[in-house]
Amino acid sequence: MAIPEAIRNQSVPKVDSQGKNLADFINLPEPSKDIFAKTLPFYGFMQDITEKQYNHWSRELVGPSANRVMIHDKYTGSVREMIMMASNNYLGLTTHPKVVKAGMEAQRDYGAGAGSVPLLAGTNDIHRELELKLAKFKGCEDAMIFTSGYSSNVGIVSALVRETDVALNDRLNHASIIDGCRLSGGSLRAFRHNDMESLEKALAHCRKKYDGILLVVDGVFSMDGDIADLPKIKELADEYGARVMIDEAHASGVLGSNGRGTPEHFGMEGEIDIVAGTLSKALGVVGGFVASSKEVINYLRFYARSNMFSTAMTPAAAGSLVAALDVIQTEPELRERLWYNIRYMIDNLKALGLDLGNAETAIIPIIIPDEDVLRDVSRYVHSAGVFVNPVYYPAVPKGLSRLRLSLMATHTQEDLDTTLGVIEDAVRKYGVI
Ligand code: PMP
């Protein structure tokens, strides 16, 4: 039942958003014992940022996610075009004709849904074809798919890490890995981001204290766009008897001369124990996967609860993904264009004097430490027609809030130059440079 209108109007507090962020609304003292009471102050905060036109969450796209998008703009009440600089559709495959056509054919031939969980009646031959292709692409014995990258990470980690084991994480690992650790019943530890001294210390400690060690890193870090030091990570893992899991969400299709990801980038294919990732970014569709030895995959099919208890991926998604894996390998010019765009934007944003952290891939953070300034910059950039997301604490550490740009192979020179012009105007206007 909804909160009664009279109570709601009386008690939604007016919240001034100045200097506040999402974390300020977690664990507030409860004004009453009603389980919904906690939702009211946050609602007041959202009302305030919407009135000030700072609310750019969940902008509605009217049409496909491409380099240019049409959005329904709640502030102007109109449908308008924007340059999309916030999508993970790195190679532009969401609208690739072969990928779209294969999905439509799979939907026609197999129906709209899989009808059951994968272990019971929900596995189509097209799902298995996708798994075998993924295993080959990642240089592993076998692979399995999930309905999202989030559920694959949660499933893998929670299945493998038991009470006496530990999951050892880079501090900037994705939330899905952390959630998997929390569900696992095992221990959760972290080392400083991509800091190999900190990792070695943590490994030495874990080796004494726990049984199995699952050392987990993102290949490309989702908020910073830098690359894990995989050779050193693997060397240390071997020294301390840890297994390595890498989340290739932002690396598959992007890194390596054939787009096979971080291990290919470092010439280490076949050396990483567990290669996981999502099928929703460079692959352009939706879903997650894990590739590993046949024994690990067989185990996960039965113990990764997010797979076992959840209906299989739609046939349309599986059909599109089979085609997407082919396109990634047969159209290297997409990756070449993406890398041209990455270099062009990093060079030109740095030339403006902006702080991009250690960005080196398609994700480019522009660090703007003051969240109130970031809100103003973000509102300006939105009204000037560039779609980019601001990221605030707690999604990133305090003092490291940022505009997060994502580049695609389908961005034209005009898209890049217009975006640079808009960002330059915004950061000058609000004193970032
Ligand atoms: N891992 C990383 C590093 C990610 O950035 C994401 C996507 N936000 C995920 C996993 C989850 O993937 P999905 O969106 O397919 O659930």
Side-chain angles (χ1 to χ4, degrees):
M1 198 190 74
I3 299 174
E5 211 50 42
I7 297 179
R8 181 183 271 158
N9 291 338
Q10 238 176 39
S11 48
V12 173
K14 267 260 161 249
V15 178
D16 179 3
S17 60
Q18 182 80 16
K20 293 198 177 53
N21 55 49
L22 267 57
D24 292 324
F25 298 90
I26 303 170
N27 298 331
L28 278 181
E30 298 268 325
S32 89
K33 291 219 182 302
D34 180 353
I35 195 96
F36 288 170
K38 61 175 73 61
T39 67
L40 298 174
F42 183 61
Y43 197 80
F45 168 77
M46 289 304 286
Q47 279 178 320
D48 190 60
I49 59 168
T50 304
E51 269 163 34
K52 293 175 177 157
Q53 304 204 358
Y54 289 142
N55 179 358
H56 297 137
W57 277 287
S58 302
R59 283 170 274 190
E60 283 171 33
L61 270 55
V62 186
S65 179
N67 60 321
R68 299 274 171 145
V69 292
M70 301 303 289
I71 74 143
H72 178 253
D73 191 338
K74 62 177 165 245
Y75 296 124
T76 61
S78 61
V79 172
R80 57 185 281 238
E81 187 183 77
M82 297 188 83
I83 300 174
M84 171 51 83
M85 280 284 164
S87 172
N88 302 309
N89 176 23
Y90 300 122
L91 297 175
L93 299 197
T94 62
T95 51
H96 191 291
K98 287 186 184 160
V99 176
V100 174
K101 182 165 174 267
M104 287 165 70
E105 286 172 359
Q107 172 128 346
R108 181 196 63 205
D109 296 343
Y110 291 83
S116 174
V117 298
L119 275 182
L120 300 182
T123 298
N124 292 130
D125 55 356
I126 200 168
H127 291 122
R128 188 62 189 143
E129 183 185 351
L130 174 60
E131 290 182 339
L132 293 173
K133 266 187 187 268
L134 280 164
K136 195 161 169 224
F137 184 62
K138 292 295 180 183
C140 296
E141 278 179 354
D142 202 355
M144 67 185 274
I145 52 174
F146 292 73
T147 47
S148 75
Y150 179 88
S151 66
S152 57
N153 280 339
V154 166
I156 300 160
V157 178
S158 59
L160 288 173
V161 180
R162 292 269 171 86
E163 279 72 15
T164 53
D165 301 326
V166 62
L168 177 55
N169 289 276
D170 184 294
R171 190 158 282 161
L172 296 191
N173 277 356
H174 191 258
S176 51
I177 299 171
I178 308 305
D179 292 356
C181 299
R182 286 187 181 140
L183 266 180
S184 71
S187 296
L188 166 62
R189 298 197 76 92
F191 58 96
R192 280 202 299 275
H193 174 52
N194 230 356
D195 178 333
M196 294 303 114
E197 256 178 53
S198 171
L199 171 59
E200 180 152 22
K201 265 195 208 146
L203 276 168
H205 174 80
C206 289
R207 186 63 296 155
K208 283 194 224 126
K209 201 161 171 212
Y210 304 103
D211 292 341
I213 306 172
L214 184 65
L215 168 52
V216 195
V217 292
D218 287 2
V220 168
F221 287 87
S222 56
M223 289 296 159
D224 291 66
D226 54 342
I227 305 172
D229 183 355
L230 200 56
K232 188 70 189 168
I233 288 168
K234 171 75 177 138
E235 186 190 311
L236 289 173
D238 287 348
E239 201 180 320
Y240 288 90
R243 293 287 188 178
V244 178
M245 166 172 163
I246 186 164
D247 177 356
E248 289 286 83
H250 299 277
S252 289
V254 175
L255 286 189
S257 45
N258 298 290
R260 292 201 287 261
T262 315
E264 185 187 19
H265 174 79
F266 286 113
M268 297 173 68
E269 283 178 280
E271 290 179 41
I272 305 304
D273 299 298
I274 295 181
V275 181
T278 164
L279 304 168
S280 63
K281 302 188 192 294
L283 280 137
V285 190
V286 74
F289 72 90
V290 53
S292 187
S293 68
K294 59 183 189 301
E295 293 85 358
V296 169
I297 296 300
N298 179 60
Y299 181 85
L300 291 175
R301 283 193 198 286
F302 291 84
Y303 290 92
R305 294 165 67 87
S306 55
N307 176 70
M308 181 156 182
F309 294 109
S310 188
T311 293
M313 172 188 286
T314 63
S320 279
L321 285 162
V322 167
L325 273 177
D326 287 339
V327 171
I328 281 189
Q329 291 164 92
T330 54
E331 297 184 26
E333 59 276 15
L334 292 174
R335 198 161 28 262
E336 281 155 24
R337 174 68 204 199
L338 173 64
W339 277 98
Y340 166 82
N341 290 350
I342 292 170
R343 290 191 191 104
Y344 186 82
M345 288 302 268
I346 290 181
D347 288 351
N348 281 283
L349 290 166
K350 275 191 179 158
L352 287 176
L354 290 165
D355 177 2
L356 309 184
N358 295 319
E360 51 184 329
T361 66
I363 299 163
I364 306 179
I366 299 176
I367 310 291
I368 301 179
D370 184 323
E371 294 204 354
D372 291 323
V373 173
L374 175 58
R375 280 184 195 150
D376 285 331
V377 168
S378 170
R379 181 174 57 189
Y380 181 97
V381 170
H382 170 87
S383 60
V386 176
F387 191 127
V388 51
N389 289 122
V391 187
Y392 304 101
Y393 173 80
V396 289
K398 267 207 171 111
L400 289 175
S401 54
R402 61 199 62 189
L403 270 189
R404 177 181 181 270
L405 271 70
S406 306
L407 296 178
M408 299 187 284
T410 46
H411 283 134
T412 63
Q413 191 65 45
E414 193 193 337
D415 294 335
L416 304 182
D417 289 331
T418 307
T419 300
L420 283 169
V422 167
I423 288 176
E424 178 170 4
D425 290 347
V427 292
R428 283 197 195 288
K429 181 170 162 75
Y430 293 104
V432 179
I433 54 171

